[in-house]
Amino acid sequence: METQSKMIEITKTKNSRINEVDFDNLSFGKVCSDHMMICDYKDGKWGTPQVLPYGPMPMEPSSKVFHYGQAVFEGMKAFKDEDGKVWLFRPEQNFNRINISAKRLAIPEFPKEYFFEALETILKLDKDWIKPGKGNSLYIRPFVIGTENGVSASPSSEYRFIIICCPAKAYYSSPVKVTIAQQYSRSADGGVGFAKAAGNYAAQFYPTNLAKEKGYQQVIWTDANTHEYLEECGTMNVFFRVGDKLLTAPTNDRILDGITRKSIIALAEDDGVEVEVRRVAVKEIVEAAKNGELKEVFGAGTAATIVPFLGFDFNEEYYELPKVENSYGSKFKTKLQDIQYNMAEDKFDWRYEVKVD
């Protein structure tokens, strides 16, 4: 059945797949909900967005995305409270960031009204895929790819913006062990580290696999020039608690401007915790671990929320972190999720209600 909203063509699925899904045993990102959005850019403008049943898309082997990597994406989540209301968390930040990423890769920016109309349309149609309760969410993946045919080394003249959704639980089910990078780099000055470009993540896989062979789940990346300063960890921003201070690296053209990161900084400052946003030296953290001042380290990101680290490896020496009662990581995860699930006051105005009924 085809219908039309304010600006979107809608074709509803005839047969929902929701009853085939075991929501208690989800592999992150493996199962997609019933509907997706596609919108094509041709002849210098974006066409009419379409919400369709989720399914494969035919593409030419010569599509530019396959040859020159013109692809950027975002990660968001929808949450359902105990009354069945559906909430997004700071979605305008995601919209702004995907267009910042797109601009860096010479991709045309996507219209704001299309973005939000598409999000709300999909969430209304697939509201039953959003399960209530802390830890449950619908992960939302907007992305855009270059679709022009031809293998000449130039920007695509055609693009497709797509939104798909996946029911999700926690990305990490337990604390992780990490190693500090000394050889490989995630990104470099003047590059695309600040953008959610697909190639950033592909470049991480090989060194991360090497770390996994040694028993570590992720890599804390260091600056490409000297490997002396700590930056990100895997797909997350990273925080260090030294004494009662919380330290995290400043954003720059190598580091993603994480939305969860910004939210934790705001929550910590509101809680009276001193936060230092500055370059954090490897030797500083190693020394703090040796003298007992390093209380905790945790990663922060949309998929992961907040993940505590058990310890870290540097120069073939493993530093185990202490078990801390009332840890900052645990405290701010609770505060963050209470806002996301409409269980606490939202003094920051971060929640965005989606009217699904």
Side-chain angles (χ1 to χ4, degrees):
M1 183 177 98
E2 292 193 15
T3 60
Q4 181 132 5
S5 66
K6 294 175 186 174
M7 353 176 180
I8 294 183
E9 294 177 0
I10 303 170
T11 304
K12 297 179 181 178
T13 186
K14 294 179 180 177
N15 298 296
S16 174
R17 294 173 286 103
I18 194 169
N19 292 328
E20 303 169 11
V21 179
D22 182 356
F23 284 88
D24 293 323
N25 295 285
L26 293 168
S27 294
F28 190 90
K30 287 286 190 181
V31 176
C32 290
S33 66
D34 285 326
H35 296 89
M36 65 180 186
M37 186 278 286
I38 62 171
C39 185
D40 290 321
Y41 181 92
K42 293 182 179 180
D43 300 322
K45 64 180 186 295
W46 290 101
T48 302
Q50 300 176 69
V51 169
L52 307 165
Y54 177 86
M57 305 181 304
M59 288 185 69
E60 294 280 351
S62 60
S63 294
K64 291 257 177 128
V65 65
F66 298 138
H67 304 274
Y68 303 110
Q70 269 191 295
V72 298
F73 68 93
E74 267 302 319
M76 311 169 60
K77 283 181 177 177
F79 307 90
K80 183 177 283 184
D81 67 20
E82 294 179 353
D83 296 323
K85 293 181 178 179
V86 172
W87 305 89
L88 294 170
F89 182 74
R90 308 188 73 176
E92 191 151 339
Q93 294 280 329
N94 296 99
F95 167 74
N96 290 337
R97 194 170 62 181
I98 198 168
N99 277 342
I100 290 169
S101 298
K103 185 176 181 180
R104 180 60 181 83
L105 270 70
I107 297 171
E109 296 179 24
F110 196 64
K112 183 176 181 178
E113 60 272 21
Y114 285 2
F115 184 81
F116 279 90
E117 180 82 8
L119 277 178
E120 297 202 21
T121 300
I122 293 172
L123 294 177
K124 286 174 185 176
L125 291 172
D126 290 353
K127 63 183 179 181
D128 292 340
W129 289 78
I130 315 169
K131 300 302 180 183
K134 273 193 178 180
N136 295 318
S137 64
L138 189 69
Y139 183 79
I140 303 166
R141 171 54 61 89
F143 62 107
V144 57
I145 56 176
T147 53
E148 180 192 358
N149 300 332
V151 296
S152 61
S154 59
S156 179
S157 64
E158 298 179 358
Y159 297 89
R160 174 164 285 186
F161 197 104
I162 307 161
I163 300 176
I164 59 175
C165 302
C166 312
K169 289 187 174 290
Y171 193 85
Y172 294 101
S173 58
S174 58
V176 298
K177 295 166 66 177
V178 300
T179 185
I180 294 176
Q182 294 177 269
Q183 177 183 0
Y184 296 99
S185 301
R186 177 186 176 274
S187 59
D189 292 340
V192 295
F194 69 90
K196 285 187 77 73
N200 289 350
Y201 298 81
Q204 293 186 42
F205 294 154
Y206 175 68
T208 302
N209 284 345
L210 296 179
K212 288 179 178 178
E213 290 172 6
K214 294 183 177 181
Y216 302 102
Q217 286 80 45
Q218 280 293 353
V219 177
I220 298 183
W221 303 105
T222 49
D223 68 293
N225 292 330
T226 67
H227 294 293
E228 292 178 2
Y229 293 94
L230 297 153
E231 299 200 327
E232 288 191 16
C233 181
T235 58
M236 304 175 284
N237 296 111
V238 62
F239 287 82
F240 306 89
R241 178 184 173 185
V242 178
D244 290 330
K245 289 181 182 178
L246 202 57
L247 313 180
T248 193
T251 56
N252 52 38
D253 58 9
R254 300 184 308 275
I255 298 176
L256 187 72
D257 187 14
I259 296 163
T260 305
R261 170 190 175 277
K262 287 190 282 195
S263 303
I264 291 168
I265 292 171
L267 289 169
E269 291 176 340
D270 183 67
D271 201 50
V273 172
E274 184 178 355
V275 182
E276 292 186 1
V277 179
R278 60 170 174 81
R279 298 184 83 186
V280 181
V282 175
K283 63 181 180 182
E284 174 186 0
I285 296 303
V286 169
E287 184 59 33
K290 288 179 177 177
N291 65 28
E293 281 291 296
L294 184 64
K295 302 301 183 185
E296 56 184 302
V297 184
F298 56 87
T302 297
T305 310
I306 292 177
V307 180
F309 295 175
L310 290 170
F312 67 90
D313 163 77
F314 180 69
N315 273 347
E316 303 297 327
E317 186 170 352
Y318 180 69
Y319 298 88
E320 188 164 347
L321 292 165
K323 291 180 171 61
V324 179
E325 289 188 17
N326 302 316
S327 70
Y328 285 176
S330 176
K331 179 196 294 188
F332 298 131
K333 180 177 182 179
T334 297
K335 285 179 176 288
L336 189 66
Q337 290 189 328
D338 283 351
I339 293 172
Q340 291 171 333
Y341 288 91
N342 194 29
M343 299 171 67
E345 177 190 1
D346 178 17
K347 64 171 70 174
F348 305 98
D349 197 26
W350 288 340
R351 278 195 300 262
Y352 177 100
E353 185 177 1
V354 177
K355 302 289 187 181
V356 295
D357 296 320

